[in-house]
Amino acid sequence: MQDQGVEKFNRNQLPHLTEEVIVQQFYPEIVNGEISLFYFNKKFAYACRKTPKKGEIRVQEEFGGKITAYQPTQDELKWAEDILNYLPYRWLYARVDILPGKGLMELECIEPSLYFDVSPNGVHQMADAISNISV
């Protein structure tokens, strides 16, 4: 299956790739959405749930996804922090995307969208993290 940059394939029959790609395991549960946990200077800031529109698997807003504020469980926070402790370098920002019941979907330390609309205090948390960087 191929749809606007998304190609689904069997791991035993890899497609011929002619450019850089991101490969992710497909979980049908993605229709229920994924959770993004945002951290600044190793401190949890806020979280959101990204849910695809009906009939879609991509959670991004440009594909009809819905972004809402989310209160993570203590288990989700612990799990995300355990993942972040494996990073071998210092980071200002990290986003941990998880699929409930399945695991890590993506870990980013750069991000074009911080979803500040789901956390009005998020921009202040990011500014504080930047101002607290010790050189």
Side-chain angles (χ1 to χ4, degrees):
M1 170 184 122
Q2 187 166 357
D3 180 27
Q4 297 178 351
V6 174
E7 186 171 342
K8 213 168 157 183
F9 59 88
N10 181 307
R11 72 176 64 202
N12 298 320
Q13 296 177 340
L14 298 177
H16 177 69
L17 302 174
T18 58
E19 57 188 285
E20 292 180 356
V21 297
I22 294 175
V23 178
Q24 246 178 344
Q25 182 166 341
F26 174 73
Y27 294 103
E29 294 87 353
I30 193 65
V31 298
N32 298 318
E34 68 181 43
I35 307 303
S36 291
L37 296 101
F38 297 85
Y39 288 80
F40 301 120
N41 279 348
K42 297 189 177 188
K43 293 180 184 168
F44 173 72
Y46 55 95
C48 67
R49 176 182 288 275
K50 300 182 288 189
T51 309
K53 73 177 183 179
K54 186 176 172 102
E56 179 62 72
I57 61 170
R58 293 169 289 189
V59 298
Q60 294 84 6
E61 293 170 298
E62 57 266 29
F63 300 110
K66 183 178 176 186
I67 313 298
T68 55
Y70 179 77
Q71 183 60 49
T73 67
Q74 287 302 312
D75 286 343
E76 290 167 337
L77 289 168
K78 167 94 171 78
W79 193 69
E81 288 162 16
D82 286 348
I83 290 168
L84 292 171
N85 285 332
Y86 280 100
L87 290 177
Y89 53 86
R90 192 167 161 213
W91 48 271
L92 170 67
Y93 159 82
R95 188 190 81 211
V96 181
D97 290 344
I98 59 174
L99 185 60
K102 291 297 178 181
L104 179 68
M105 293 293 290
E106 190 174 346
L107 171 61
E108 289 213 31
C109 292
I110 57 169
E111 173 59 34
S113 179
L114 295 169
Y115 303 106
F116 287 140
D117 55 327
V118 300
S119 176
N121 196 38
V123 70
H124 301 292
Q125 292 169 301
M126 179 65 159
D128 288 345
I130 292 169
S131 68
N132 289 324
I133 295 174
S134 59
V135 188

